[in-house]
Amino acid sequence: MLQLQVLIPGPWWHELTYQTDRDVPPGARVLVPMGQGVRVGLAAGRTQSAASIPLKNVLRVFDAQPVLNRPYLQAVREIARAFLCSPSEILRLLMPASFWRGEPFVPYGESEKIPFSFEFCYRYDAEERWRLYREKILACRRGALALFPEREQAQRFYKSLVGAIPKDRLILWPASGAQAATKSWRRALSRDDAVIVGGPGAAAAPLAAPELFVVDEEANPSWRSKKRPPFSLKSFAAARARASGGCLVVGGGSRRRGCSKTSARPSGKRRRGLSRASLTSTALRFFRSGECSFRCLFPTCL
């Protein structure tokens, strides 16, 4: 019998261990006994450690292939560590309710990873900033995810792309509804060059072959999740870019002009300290290197 670690939404900060006679891939859903009932959990991998107590058996395996790939789960774990909560609780908020009911889900495989990079786009004029986003999206040959702090902004940006991008490639991520989210999830994985636009909740949207992640108005407090556990959805998008590869573009209104691929050091001391753009540059530089997380640098801002 094999020992399988399973993530189950609940008060546990760690995986729970079960035994199974099947080789279950990480990222597949399983049905396991819990207390007097049963729960749907996510396989997180096998373990070789000897069990000190008898283990319960996995009752059912829902997926032959992973429905969440390794980079996605890696980003979830990174955010869970940064915000001091369980990865399973993060997944509970990110995934549609149908996911945890064991309903059929399309496989979410891992694509070829491309190098990670980041850019900044700070301009007071939102339309000018969005024009630069559109140019980068139109240049994409793989998947793109454009995130906005408000639903109305996402809808306006989506409409600006209609006609420039084929309709079957463009997806406006739903704000709520398990059925709508499941349908959009299936559409997003149906092609490698999907372009997804949405509010903060769209940070959970899958990309079959990610190339571009855009986060607009990064200083807006709306990026924090409304439900517990509280965590930053913009930080999750950045963690996904790091894990899966691609270009992360962070933008907003600022005195800093234009788009930049590098974060220049401040030329000298300022009376009021560093600008918001410089602080964000520092955060991204540390976030990219893995030395710390957004949460460590600016816990009150995220």
Side-chain angles (χ1 to χ4, degrees):
M1 299 289 282
L2 304 173
Q3 294 185 24
L4 182 69
Q5 293 184 313
V6 181
L7 286 168
I8 303 174
W12 310 279
W13 280 41
H14 53 80
E15 299 88 352
L16 301 182
T17 306
Y18 292 84
Q19 63 180 9
T20 178
D21 56 357
R22 296 180 55 181
D23 188 10
V24 183
R29 294 169 300 166
V30 294
L31 185 69
V32 295
M34 173 59 62
Q36 300 298 318
V38 294
R39 297 281 295 275
V40 174
L42 189 74
R46 291 165 54 182
T47 178
Q48 303 296 334
S49 59
S52 58
I53 59 174
L55 298 177
K56 295 183 178 181
N57 295 324
V58 172
L59 302 177
R60 179 183 174 186
V61 179
F62 290 102
D63 312 299
Q65 302 179 55
V67 290
L68 289 180
N69 63 16
R70 183 193 58 82
Y72 197 100
L73 293 175
Q74 180 180 333
V76 168
R77 292 181 185 277
E78 187 169 332
I79 293 302
R81 289 194 301 269
F83 289 86
L84 303 178
C85 58
S86 165
S88 59
E89 287 295 277
I90 298 287
L91 286 169
R92 178 180 60 82
L93 297 183
L94 294 176
M95 304 305 298
S98 56
F99 181 90
W100 300 110
R101 292 197 293 262
E103 297 180 9
F105 250 69
V106 293
Y108 187 4
E110 189 172 346
S111 63
E112 180 182 357
K113 185 176 181 178
I114 61 178
F116 170 73
S117 62
F118 60 85
E119 301 180 13
F120 306 102
C121 187
Y122 290 96
R123 298 207 174 185
Y124 278 125
D125 187 354
E127 293 299 329
E128 185 177 1
R129 197 168 62 244
W130 291 7
R131 177 182 59 81
L132 297 172
Y133 297 159
R134 283 192 293 270
E135 290 177 359
K136 296 196 70 67
I137 290 174
L138 292 174
C140 274
R141 295 297 176 261
R142 293 168 36 126
L145 180 61
L147 303 174
F148 297 84
E150 305 294 341
R151 174 71 176 179
E152 182 182 357
Q153 294 174 323
Q155 290 175 328
R156 287 172 51 205
F157 187 78
Y158 171 85
K159 291 178 180 179
S160 72
L161 293 174
V162 174
I165 294 178
K167 186 176 181 180
D168 58 344
R169 185 187 175 196
L170 190 58
I171 301 172
L172 178 62
W173 199 257
S176 61
Q179 186 175 359
T182 304
K183 182 179 179 181
S184 297
W185 187 282
R186 189 180 302 111
R187 279 191 61 199
L189 292 177
S190 65
R191 54 187 302 161
D192 293 343
D193 59 349
V195 176
I196 303 172
V197 181
L207 287 174
E211 180 180 346
L212 178 66
F213 296 82
V214 175
V215 178
D216 190 44
E217 292 291 348
E218 48 84 18
N220 195 303
S222 298
W223 292 111
R224 181 178 286 273
S225 63
K226 303 299 187 295
K227 298 180 181 179
R228 291 185 176 276
F231 68 99
S232 171
L233 288 158
K234 71 175 179 183
S235 294
F236 177 64
R240 288 186 61 189
R242 271 190 74 213
S244 61
C247 179
L248 171 64
V249 179
V250 178
S254 172
R255 293 183 181 276
R256 185 171 183 167
R257 293 245 173 218
C259 291
S260 172
K261 294 185 178 181
T262 59
S263 52
R265 294 182 179 179
S267 57
K269 292 184 179 180
R270 299 185 180 182
R271 183 174 300 177
R272 297 183 180 272
L274 298 177
S275 67
R276 186 180 69 189
S278 298
L279 289 173
T280 306
S281 303
T282 304
L284 280 172
R285 185 164 61 250
F286 276 89
F287 192 71
R288 181 188 184 188
S289 65
E291 296 176 19
C292 67
S293 65
F294 278 96
R295 176 72 170 181
C296 297
L297 284 170
F298 306 117
T300 60
C301 297
L302 299 177

